[in-house]
């Protein structure tokens, strides 16, 4: 009998991200799944925003480098040593 109770106790327990044990029986039916989907949605949106910002910043630095390079090449003829 103890084996069965021990297995049930393990089945009703999960570990959260910080390593703490949570008792699944304290959550309502489907609440943990909804929490996971909400977290996944938040992380997904954050990753998309970070990706777009990285692309925009990269394009900005690239355009700046091209413009400054063109200005240097154009002003090269004005240099006198």
């Amino acid at each position: 009998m103890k084996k069965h109770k021990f297995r049930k106790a393990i089945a009703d327990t999960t570990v959260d991200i910080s390593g703490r044990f949570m008792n699944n029986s304290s959550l309502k039916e489907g609440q943990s799944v909804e929490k996971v989907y909400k977290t996944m949605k938040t992380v997904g949106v954050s990753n998309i925003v970070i990706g777009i910002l990285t692309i925009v910043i990269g394009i900005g630095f690239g355009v700046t480098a091209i413009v400054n390079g063109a200005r240097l090449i154009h002003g090269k003829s004005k240099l006198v040593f």
Side-chain angles (χ1 to χ4, degrees), residues 8-62:
K8 184 176 181 341
I10 290 176
D12 286 343
T13 305
T14 57
V15 179
D16 66 357
I17 292 174
S18 63
R20 294 178 298 199
F21 287 98
M22 278 178 41
N23 189 357
N24 288 342
S25 61
S26 65
L27 297 174
K28 293 180 182 175
E29 184 68 31
Q31 186 179 6
S32 61
V33 175
E34 290 175 9
K35 219 172 168 184
V36 169
Y37 281 127
K38 185 176 179 183
T39 302
M40 288 173 61
K41 178 182 175 185
T42 304
V43 170
V45 169
S46 301
N47 286 338
I48 290 172
V49 169
I50 290 170
I52 291 171
L53 287 174
T54 303
I55 290 171
V56 169
I57 291 170
I59 289 173
F61 278 125

Side-chain angles (χ1 to χ4, degrees), residues 59-70:
I59 289 173
F61 278 125
V63 168
T64 303
I66 291 170
V67 168
N68 285 333

